[in-house]
Every structure is written in structure tokens, then in C-alpha cells.
Amino acid sequence: MRGKVKRCWALFLLALLFGIFCRMPQVEAGNDYEVLWHETYTFGSTSGGSLVDVTPDGEIIVAGHTYFDWWHSNFLIFKTDENGTLKWNRTLTYSDVAYAVKVLPNGDTLAVGYSYAFMGLYPDSLTISRFDSEGNDLEHYYYSVPDANVVLDAIITPSEDVIVVGKIQTYGGKELPEEDVWVLKLDKNASVKLNKTYDISQNDEAWAVAMASNGDIIVAGDSGNDYAKDFLVLRLDENGNLKWQKTFDKNNEDIAYAVAVAPNGDIVVAGQTENGEYNDAWVIRLDSNGNIIWQKQFGGSGEDGVNSITVLSDGGIVLVGYTNSFGASNMDAWVLVLDSSGNVKWNYIYDGGSYDAAHSVDVVPNGNIVVAGWSGGDILLMAIKIPEPQFGPILPITGNPYILMAHTWTSWFFMYYDIFEELYSTAVSLDVDNETLEMALELHNNATDLILDAWRCDSLEEILRRMQLGVMPKLYNIRKAFLMELEAIDILKDAINELQLY
């Protein structure tokens, strides 16, 4: 670390001498989102229900289902290269649909599917399958799902546990059953580690699940009755103990279908809210304690909905789903990108000529995103280029060494901020331990808070404007933020190097 700081001081002195006599312009970056490519894939008479995950080298794994006859579907999994060229595909006879897929650090893929009961010969079952990098089925396990339970979503954790959420019907002596939230955790061999239900109101459903960096389970869905439903969010510890529960009411029928956890621990929940004859997308950003930071409604004259969320390392939010507004024909796939404050940065509609929808989204190691869904009877896959962060060195026309020093350190902070984001994504994909990730992320977040305080800003973008206006910041906090960001990067580099050595 000391060697790095000495090198930075040498660079600073050069920048200081140069900046006294001339101006170093801001580095402009591309500001346009761009669909790099989109492909559709057909494996049977009809295919769909796509889930997506990306390997560390940018290859793409997609899971879903396909019909080879009119009455029965098969679990489908396939792999493409980074440009969407198909490398292999497999269908499973022992599973019908996909619920989760995850690429493991050793190159294997773990997938969660569901097998429906058949004429009383066998019950409904969750299936957990492991594939090698060439798509060979290495092993699979079953968990029999009771008749009263309904699976609605699943995720695979870094430790290869499977967390399943949905609902369970309970009668309790009443004529009509009530529904309670159901949470199930299995290990990779389908042995039960957690099986709990949660009764919040008359009817409660869990439509989505995510995991926080400390292992907490975040569940989203709805709570209410046949006449009024509210967004429901639960935070559980890793053993299923309830830490807090929240409901959020906007209109008569509010249902959360997607949830994600931001790098800083914020929780983003999205779904639908009633808007007259049709539904709009409704998005809420919460802090780690479930308090609302902001909430936004998005929609038009038709039916609009969200199926999946991912949160980018800068706090930006990518929502994917479907829309019948904004000039859409029939129903089109919808990609909506928001900044960390919920403002729209990009609104993209894909029209394949039939019923189209986006179902899943993931971030590629280079920072771009991949979206999977369906188009008509085919599986849809598209890659989208995310603009480079527009942070670059801005040095003022001034001989004031204080301001020049502040601008130089701030510019270096921005550079290392971007490096941290890339390293953090790599560390997560390599399953670096949670303690190390939390330590690095805490330093990164504290550094960001320090530099925002130094410039008296609410966003990094606003700092750039203040630099151009010649605002006088708190120099000590800028230097401290810069050094703190370097320390966070060193922690991630050491952890990544250690994993790669073994």
C-alpha cells in the first residue's frame, strides 16, 4: 500500500506541474445503451421460461423448458458463447421446468427444476442437477413437494444451497384455505436445512427471493385478501428467523414479483400495481432495515410488469419484464434501466412480432448485461452494452494548488472506484468468502460517503459539476477516501489471487 501511495504522489506532482500551465479536459465516455445482439432459439414445438447466468469468461448459460409434444414439457438448459452462438443444449426427461441456474467457480452448473406429478405414479418434486462445462449431467437429486405447497421462485447460494419460496395452503378449521409464505432451504443433495412458514395476513405469497451478503434471506411477494393485496417483504436470518416484515400499499392490488440486494445492502423490490383497467410496474428501494428510500411507478396505457431485477455495482437498477405501452405491439419484452435514485436512464422495447417478454437478467464480467426471455414460441437472448461511467480527470484552469490537489485526488478516486466495481463482480463470481466481501464493500461505501461529504454532494455525478464550478471541497476527506478505496481494492486483489493460486 505504501508503495502505491508513493507512486501516486509522484504522479500527483507531475499533474500539479502540468495543471498549472494547462487544462486537462474531462474524459468523455459513450453515453448510449446499445443492444449488441439478440438471438432466438428453438428446441421443440415451443420453448420459454428462460433463466440466465454468466460464466466468469462471459459465456452464457440459459435454463427453461421446451415442449416436444402437446402435453408434456422438458427441462431445457443450453450454453452459448459471449456472442450468442450455441455451444450445446440438453433436455432432461426427469424434470419439466427450470426455477434457478448458477455457474459454479469450477465451471460446473447447478440447476433447480420441477417435476410434476404423473397419474399418481410419483409426486411433484424439486430437482437439483449438476452439469459439467460441456453440459453432461453429472448427478441429480429429488425433494418431494407436499400437495399443499406451491413453488414460485428459487435461488442457488454461493455455498450451493438451494432456497425455495412460495406458498402453503392451510385450512385451520375454515371452509376456505388461507395461504402462508413458505420458505425451504436444501443443500445440494436435496437434504432439508430449513422449512418454515410465515403467516402475515389472510393470504400471503412469496414470489421472489434474494440473499444478502451476510446470508440473510430476503423474500418478496404479497399479503392481503381477494380484494386488496400489498407488497410484502420479509428479512430472515440464515436459519429462517424473522428479523423484520414490511407491507407497502399503493393501490388495491400490489404484488411484488422480483427482489434484489444492492452492493451497499439496499433492497430493491419490483412488481405490479393496479392502474385502472391495467397494471403498471412499481419499484421500491429500501434500506437494509426495510425503510423506503424512494418508490417509483412506471407504465403507460397498457399492461406493464417486471419479472426480474439486477442491481449494478454503481447502484443502478435494471428491470426486465413486458409492456403493452410505449408503442408496443401486442406484448413486447421490456428493459428499463434506472439510476440509483430511480430516474429512467434507458427504456427499451423488443418486438419480435408475437408475444415477447424478458424473464431474467444478469451482469457480464465486462459490465454489460444479458437478458433472457421468450419471443413467440422461441427463447430470446440479448446482450446490452452499458455505457462507460462518465468519470474522468477534470483539472481546473487555476494555479491554486489546493484546488488542483483536490481535483487530482478526486479523479484518481473515480478511476479506482471503477476498478473496485470490476474486482468486486469478479470476487463474487469466484465465491470469495462473505467476510472478505463485506470488509471490502464497507471500505468502498465509507470511501464513497467521505468523498460525497467532502464535496457536499448527494451523488458522484454532482461532484463533476461542482468540480467544473470551482467549488472548494474538504481536501482531507478526499485524500482519505482515495486511500480507503485503494485499501478495498487490495483486499479484493489478495482474495482473488489466493483463490486462483489454488
Side-chain angles (χ1 to χ4, degrees):
M1 175 67 73
R2 290 179 181 174
K4 287 185 177 179
V5 175
K6 287 179 179 178
R7 289 195 296 272
C8 289
W9 267 106
L11 288 171
F12 167 72
L13 291 174
L14 289 173
L16 180 61
L17 292 172
F18 181 76
I20 291 174
F21 298 104
C22 53
R23 179 182 184 184
M24 186 180 294
Q26 179 177 355
V27 175
E28 294 291 341
N31 193 33
D32 293 331
Y33 292 82
E34 178 186 356
V35 178
L36 298 173
W37 53 263
H38 59 77
E39 297 285 348
T40 55
Y41 307 82
T42 304
F43 300 98
S45 59
T46 304
S47 304
S50 309
L51 303 168
V52 65
D53 197 28
V54 181
T55 69
D57 57 359
E59 294 186 321
I60 302 165
I61 298 287
V62 179
H65 64 270
T66 188
Y67 287 88
F68 287 98
D69 49 55
W70 65 271
W71 60 275
H72 186 262
S73 65
N74 288 127
F75 181 108
L76 167 70
I77 185 167
F78 66 92
K79 184 178 187 178
T80 78
D81 66 16
E82 60 185 5
N83 298 311
T85 301
L86 185 65
K87 300 190 72 171
W88 53 257
N89 66 281
R90 305 285 184 268
T91 54
L92 307 182
T93 58
Y94 58 81
S95 193
D96 299 320
V97 295
Y99 271 97
V101 64
K102 182 178 178 63
V103 179
L104 305 177
N106 69 347
D108 289 353
T109 296
L110 208 60
V112 179
Y114 198 86
S115 175
Y116 294 104
F118 179 70
M119 300 179 65
L121 298 178
Y122 51 82
D124 282 10
S125 298
L126 282 161
T127 61
I128 302 176
S129 305
R130 182 184 293 268
F131 306 89
D132 65 19
S133 59
E134 299 301 318
N136 299 306
D137 189 351
L138 301 178
E139 57 187 16
H140 52 268
Y141 300 92
Y142 298 89
Y143 171 83
S144 297
V145 178
D147 291 341
N149 297 58
V150 178
V151 174
L152 295 174
D153 192 26
I155 59 171
I156 300 167
T157 73
S159 60
E160 300 183 22
D161 287 339
V162 174
I163 301 176
V164 177
V165 298
K167 60 184 178 181
I168 181 172
Q169 293 182 328
T170 58
Y171 282 87
K174 298 180 181 179
E175 183 177 350
L176 295 175
E178 289 188 354
E179 296 173 339
D180 296 332
V181 168
W182 174 47
V183 178
L184 172 72
K185 184 192 284 188
L186 307 172
D187 67 16
K188 60 185 177 182
N189 300 318
S191 298
V192 176
K193 300 180 74 172
L194 163 66
N195 190 349
K196 288 193 175 185
T197 60
Y198 306 85
D199 182 8
I200 310 302
S201 181
Q202 296 177 26
N203 289 312
D204 311 303
E205 301 173 292
W207 288 96
V209 60
M211 192 176 76
S213 59
N214 67 346
D216 283 357
I217 303 168
I218 313 298
V219 179
D222 64 85
S223 180
N225 53 46
D226 292 339
Y227 305 100
K229 296 178 184 290
D230 298 333
F231 269 24
L232 172 66
V233 183
L234 309 179
R235 187 177 189 121
L236 317 174
D237 67 19
E238 62 182 357
N239 298 313
N241 300 308
L242 183 64
K243 299 180 86 169
W244 52 256
Q245 66 186 50
K246 302 275 186 173
T247 56
F248 304 95
D249 176 25
K250 190 170 184 63
N251 293 303
N252 286 338
E253 186 164 301
D254 308 312
I255 303 175
Y257 290 114
V259 64
V261 181
N264 70 345
D266 288 352
I267 299 166
V268 183
V269 186
Q272 286 187 312
T273 184
E274 188 178 39
N275 182 17
E277 182 180 356
Y278 299 104
N279 292 307
D280 286 343
W282 188 28
V283 186
I284 305 177
R285 187 174 188 129
L286 310 171
D287 65 19
S288 59
N289 296 312
N291 302 307
I292 292 180
I293 298 173
W294 53 258
Q295 61 88 18
K296 299 287 181 77
Q297 183 173 334
F298 304 97
S301 58
E303 186 78 9
D304 307 299
V306 174
N307 288 324
S308 184
I309 308 172
T310 193
V311 182
L312 304 175
S313 55
D314 64 355
I317 300 163
V318 182
L319 310 165
V320 300
Y322 53 88
T323 180
N324 205 18
S325 304
F326 314 113
S329 62
N330 198 2
M331 191 70 76
D332 292 342
W334 188 24
V335 180
L336 185 65
V337 182
L338 313 177
D339 66 16
S340 59
S341 300
N343 303 305
V344 176
K345 299 178 71 175
W346 195 52
N347 183 12
Y348 174 74
I349 297 170
Y350 172 86
D351 180 7
S354 183
Y355 182 90
D356 310 298
H359 192 273
S360 181
V361 58
D362 196 23
V363 180
V364 182
N366 65 7
N368 294 334
I369 61 174
V370 173
V371 178
W374 57 89
S375 178
D378 300 331
I379 286 181
L380 169 67
L381 194 61
M382 69 176 79
I384 298 171
K385 180 180 181 297
I386 297 292
E388 294 293 329
Q390 295 195 34
F391 300 140
I394 302 178
L395 301 180
I397 304 176
T398 178
N400 186 327
Y402 182 97
I403 294 180
L404 185 57
M405 191 180 297
H407 282 231
T408 302
W409 274 336
T410 301
S411 297
W412 284 339
F413 171 83
F414 282 141
M415 178 179 66
Y416 284 108
Y417 185 98
D418 294 341
I419 292 171
F420 176 89
E421 291 177 352
E422 295 174 4
L423 286 174
Y424 188 85
S425 297
T426 301
V428 170
S429 69
L430 292 174
D431 284 339
V432 168
D433 65 277
N434 287 334
E435 184 178 353
T436 300
L437 290 174
E438 288 175 5
M439 187 187 309
L441 188 59
E442 183 178 6
L443 284 166
H444 172 73
N445 290 335
N446 289 342
T448 304
D449 290 341
L450 273 173
I451 203 162
L452 290 174
D453 177 69
W455 285 96
R456 297 179 290 279
C457 292
D458 295 323
S459 69
L460 297 178
E461 290 84 358
E462 190 179 348
I463 290 177
L464 300 179
R465 292 191 291 272
R466 286 181 174 264
M467 291 170 75
Q468 292 170 330
L469 293 173
V471 173
M472 191 77 74
K474 304 174 186 175
L475 186 60
Y476 175 76
N477 278 4
I478 297 174
R479 179 177 179 273
K480 189 175 179 181
F482 163 65
L483 295 175
M484 197 176 288
E485 195 74 347
L486 280 177
E487 186 178 351
I489 286 171
D490 277 351
I491 289 172
L492 292 179
K493 280 184 176 178
D494 290 343
I496 292 169
N497 290 337
E498 185 176 344
L499 283 176
Q500 291 176 339
L501 283 175
Y502 296 97

